[in-house]
Amino acid sequence: MLPDTGIPTLTPGYAAVPPGHLASIVTSLEMLRPPPPRPGRPFPPGLALEPLARTDPETYRTLFREVGADWLWFSRLTLADGALAAILADGDVEIFALRRDGRNVGMLELDFRRPGTCELVFLGLTGDAVGTGIGRTLMNAAIGRAWARPITRFWVHTCTLDHPGALAFYRRSGFVPFAVHVEVAPDPRLDGTLPRTCASHVPRLG
């Protein structure tokens, strides 16, 4: 077991993934002080970061699907309404939709519920916004908002199901890797949590 986590330690070699499941390598990263500023252009006209304060679970899930479906984001989709509503109503959780002319093109979620710490829970863009430079502007906004509070640690995790450039992007932003895990979970495309057509780059077994 890994110390202080209760997570079993893998032994060297191959391990079979159960049918109908996905395996990913999860990298956790942190920054312990604000990084040097990285240049980023302002959001262009028509694009705005709007708070999603005290919204209902289904409005949140719509945003979550639009941004995360192609990367197989599913964690919030399987939460019961009450559990998700409690997160959405918590004053120490900040959720934003990045909108262009009323349409969702990105999201940002910051969790300050642990004193002195901020978790970058979700940061992502829809497919048509990836590669436009907006991601840097969104990350700069996340860093600024996180360190505007009295924290000593800002952290995030990403996995191999995410955009292939995500890990390098986080490192360029000032995050430093501190842990690696392997996660095995049911494929959300097989039980209807996400459409079967999502994430065609990830084999669907089962």
Side-chain angles (χ1 to χ4, degrees):
M1 307 286 282
L2 292 176
D4 304 321
T5 67
I7 299 174
T9 303
L10 294 176
T11 57
Y14 286 91
V17 176
H21 286 64
L22 297 170
S24 64
I25 299 173
V26 180
T27 301
S28 297
L29 308 96
E30 65 184 358
M31 59 171 71
L32 304 180
R33 62 187 61 83
R38 283 188 64 92
R41 64 184 185 181
F43 289 125
L47 200 66
L49 195 60
E50 302 176 3
L52 219 67
R54 302 186 183 277
T55 192
D56 63 282
E58 201 47 48
T59 296
Y60 175 90
R61 289 190 184 111
T62 296
L63 171 65
F64 189 86
R65 288 188 190 96
E66 289 175 346
V67 174
D70 276 339
W71 310 113
L72 296 182
W73 291 8
F74 65 87
S75 58
R76 292 290 197 240
L77 303 179
T78 56
L79 277 183
D81 281 356
L84 180 55
I87 294 172
L88 299 178
D90 197 306
D92 285 325
V93 177
E94 297 185 359
I95 303 169
F96 300 86
L98 185 61
R99 293 197 171 110
R100 177 188 289 129
D101 301 325
R103 187 175 69 84
N104 294 327
V105 296
M107 76 173 292
L108 168 64
E109 183 171 336
L110 300 169
D111 187 340
F112 295 91
R113 288 178 293 176
R114 184 173 179 179
T117 297
C118 177
E119 179 184 359
L120 176 53
V121 187
F122 298 108
L123 183 150
L125 301 172
T126 55
D128 59 337
V130 173
T132 63
I134 295 172
R136 170 52 53 201
T137 308
L138 186 58
M139 175 59 81
N140 287 352
I143 292 171
R145 296 195 69 88
W147 289 103
R149 292 214 193 184
I151 65 169
T152 58
R153 181 174 182 255
F154 186 28
W155 78 282
V156 65
H157 68 261
T158 186
C159 76
T160 47
L161 297 177
D162 211 342
H163 187 284
L167 180 56
F169 175 72
Y170 288 128
R171 297 184 73 171
R172 288 196 303 273
S173 300
F175 290 96
V176 177
F178 69 89
V180 177
H181 299 97
V182 174
E183 180 181 22
V184 177
D187 189 329
R189 298 168 296 183
L190 298 181
D191 63 4
T193 300
L194 287 170
R196 294 176 71 88
T197 54
C198 287
S200 59
H201 59 290
V202 180
R204 192 177 65 240
L205 305 176

